[in-house]
Amino acid sequence: MTANGDHIVRLEFTSAFEMLDFVQVVSDHISRGVGLDEDASHWVSVAIRESVINAIKHGNRNDASKHVFVEFETATVDVPALTIRVRDQGEGFDPETVADPLAPENLLKSSGRGIFLIRNFMDDVQLQRAPQGGMEICMVKRVQAQA
């Protein structure tokens, strides 16, 4: 817990798809705790799942000796929000070079929609090379005020 009452939860695990269910349980628990409704929690979960799959498959290239780091940070001051960071230990890439999944030549491809979907599910998404190496995606989902 931080000084202002916010919480940070950090997970670190090897590049194993078996960890996806565990990450989802943590995500669902934290999403509910910060006040996200069922719909928002579902889409946050999908975004995290896509991010972790990308970290394992594309970032770490299924190398079990490389780790994935997931950090959840809840903010309750002003607008309650959940910030999630997912980092791999791969070579990294230039986010500008990711193909547009809506371009006609890409519509029938079986992959390449993860980052596009994440950008649509979350309120803010930043992709960058991490100072520690690898790529990091930082995603924010703000809690909508109940009408």
Side-chain angles (χ1 to χ4, degrees):
M1 189 182 320
T2 61
N4 59 2
D6 298 342
H7 289 85
I8 297 176
V9 173
R10 291 184 181 95
L11 308 177
E12 177 182 346
F13 49 90
T14 58
S15 294
F17 291 112
E18 294 80 15
M19 294 305 296
L20 285 168
D21 290 340
F22 172 69
V23 174
Q24 183 161 352
V25 167
V26 174
S27 167
D28 291 347
H29 177 76
I30 292 173
S31 293
R32 280 193 305 274
V34 78
L36 291 173
D37 63 26
E38 196 172 320
D39 244 17
S41 290
H42 170 74
W43 294 118
V44 165
S45 175
V46 172
I48 294 170
R49 192 173 192 89
E50 284 291 328
S51 300
V52 171
I53 289 169
N54 282 349
I56 293 170
K57 184 177 174 182
H58 301 294
N60 292 345
R61 300 190 191 283
N62 297 310
D63 182 342
S65 70
K66 292 186 177 180
H67 289 206
V68 176
F69 305 85
V70 182
E71 180 180 286
F72 300 88
E73 183 175 353
T74 59
T76 52
V77 180
D78 298 327
V79 177
L82 174 58
T83 301
I84 305 110
R85 289 177 186 79
V86 177
R87 180 173 58 88
D88 61 48
Q89 293 184 310
E91 296 171 20
F93 67 96
D94 180 355
E96 300 301 315
T97 64
V98 175
D100 177 3
L102 299 181
E105 68 272 17
N106 297 326
L107 287 176
L108 299 178
K109 287 186 178 175
S110 62
S111 65
R113 292 178 190 82
I115 293 171
F116 172 80
L117 292 172
I118 292 165
R119 288 189 192 282
N120 281 281
F121 298 154
M122 303 299 281
D123 296 318
D124 186 33
V125 176
Q126 303 293 324
L127 283 154
Q128 62 192 22
R129 289 183 189 268
Q132 313 89 319
M135 284 301 287
E136 179 178 75
I137 184 168
C138 179
M139 308 170 279
V140 177
K141 187 68 174 177
R142 288 181 277 283
V143 177
Q144 302 300 315
Q146 302 300 318

